[in-house]
Every structure is written in C-alpha cells, then in structure tokens.
Amino acid sequence: MSVAIGAGVLTLSEPFRSWLIPPAVVGLDQKPDPDGRLLGHFPYAEVSESELVELEAGQRLHRDAAREWLAMQEAAYRDGVDLRLLSAFRSVDDQTSIFFDVKSERNQTARDRARVSAPPGYSEHSTGYAIDVGDANAPGADLSTGFEQTEGYDWLRAHAQRYHFALSFPRGNRQGVSYEPWHWRFEGTATALKVFEPAGRFALR
C-alpha cells in the first residue's frame, strides 16, 4: 500500500481510500462519492444513548444541543414567537424506514428521495444535534418551504446563531439537498463542530 504526497495534497491509494469511504447503503445501488457523500449527504455516526436527553415525548437531543434549544425556545417565547420542536434525534433504523418506506409509497427514485431525506447513516438527525422546527402559530407551514414566511423563521434567522444553531440546507446549497428552512443543526461545541466540519468545509468551496 502506498501513500503519495504531491503538490501539497495527500493522494491515497485505492485500497486505503476504500477504508475511509463509508460503505454503501443496503438497498441502494449508488455508492458514496470519493469525499464520502452519498446522494449529496455526508455520513454521520449515531450518537450514544448516554448522550441523549428527552425533551418531550418521543423527542430527544444530544444534551449540549438540548440545553441551547431550550434556551433559544424560551428567548423566542419572550419575544412572542412560539417555536416548536417537530423532530430531533432519529436512529439509523428510524431513518431507514423514513427513507425507504416513503420512497416506495411515492414511487421515487433514490436520487429524488435523497433531495428531501437522507439515506440511513447519512442523516444529521442521527447525531442528536439536528432539529426540525415549526411555528406554533403557523402549523400549516410545518416541514415546508412556507416556513420561511413565518415569524418563527424570521426569529431564527435573526437569533439562532446566538445559540449556536445554523441552517443546514439553505437555498441553493452546494450539497444539492432541497432547501429546508425548518432544519437546523447545533454547532456550539468542539465535538459538534468536528461532526459537521466536512459539510461546512464543502459549503465554502
């Protein structure tokens, strides 16, 4: 096995490269790109159960993200905005069902499905750091681009950074994932930043 270095760029032999690239997902013909992305999504390990805390029935987050989410939700409420947590941690098994079951129901191709939902093993939700947010005063906009017309979205755009949350998939994002104004990820610790570093670096290319 050889590792060649030229022009300041590390070039890996194919056998070594294959160890670093995440495995393909069972049920999908597509294989990950050389940078690790599968259908636009980066791979993410599932957070340990010991790191999760329950916020409400069926909704858990990494404890660091949970602390900041609650502070952010309270601050928004003081400003007259009622943010609601629609979805938080999802296990890889949960994401498998969400990806493949809906894909089948809607007769979607894998590529079409991946524009709106990550393949299992590639969802930010599995890290425990990602949240889907709604505005209680505009439930009809939940999980739709219509969320960008709500007071909740306006508040998040103005204040979410203070609580270390960033919009994961802005309009026209380089990953090719559909615009999701409701989907935010926590980047407020060194560990969280490391988790999302490949996606952040890719967005700045």
Side-chain angles (χ1 to χ4, degrees):
M1 179 181 68
S2 62
V3 179
I5 300 178
V9 177
L10 181 66
T11 303
L12 304 178
S13 65
E14 285 306 314
F16 188 67
R17 185 193 301 269
S18 68
W19 297 346
L20 299 182
I21 298 175
V25 174
V26 175
L28 288 181
D29 293 334
Q30 291 81 2
K31 289 183 170 58
D33 295 332
D35 61 12
R37 289 181 303 133
L38 178 62
L39 296 172
H41 297 270
F42 283 94
Y44 296 104
E46 185 174 303
V47 63
S48 168
E49 287 282 331
S50 65
E51 298 292 325
L52 293 169
V53 295
E54 188 166 31
L55 298 173
E56 52 191 83
Q59 301 287 15
R60 295 185 295 167
L61 276 176
H62 188 284
R63 58 191 178 193
D64 295 333
R67 180 179 60 252
E68 293 300 312
W69 158 253
L70 291 174
M72 183 167 72
Q73 186 182 39
E74 181 179 348
Y77 193 77
R78 290 196 300 267
D79 289 341
V81 176
D82 193 355
L83 298 178
R84 294 297 172 89
L85 184 61
L86 302 178
S87 184
F89 165 74
R90 296 183 203 143
S91 69
V92 173
D93 287 343
D94 289 340
Q95 193 67 27
T96 299
S97 297
I98 289 171
F99 186 86
F100 286 105
D101 291 353
V102 177
K103 174 181 177 295
S104 178
E105 289 172 6
R106 298 180 181 177
N107 196 29
Q108 294 175 313
T109 66
R111 189 166 298 279
D112 286 341
R113 183 66 189 141
R115 290 192 181 99
V116 296
S117 184
Y122 291 77
S123 173
E124 292 185 350
H125 284 283
S126 295
T127 68
Y129 291 127
I131 55 176
D132 291 339
V133 184
D135 186 326
N137 295 316
D142 287 354
L143 305 178
S144 77
T145 56
F147 181 63
E148 70 177 357
Q149 304 298 325
T150 67
E151 291 182 352
Y153 178 74
D154 287 343
W155 193 94
L156 287 167
R157 290 288 290 177
H159 303 287
Q161 187 175 9
R162 183 184 309 168
Y163 301 92
H164 313 292
F165 281 93
L167 188 65
S168 292
F169 305 115
R171 196 181 297 279
N173 64 85
R174 293 182 58 84
Q175 286 184 232
V177 178
S178 292
Y179 172 48
E180 295 186 353
W182 64 88
H183 181 99
W184 299 72
R185 68 189 183 211
F186 174 74
E187 299 179 342
T189 63
T191 300
L193 278 173
K194 184 176 181 180
V195 166
F196 296 118
E197 191 269 341
R201 189 174 66 243
F202 183 81
L204 295 175
R205 284 184 184 176

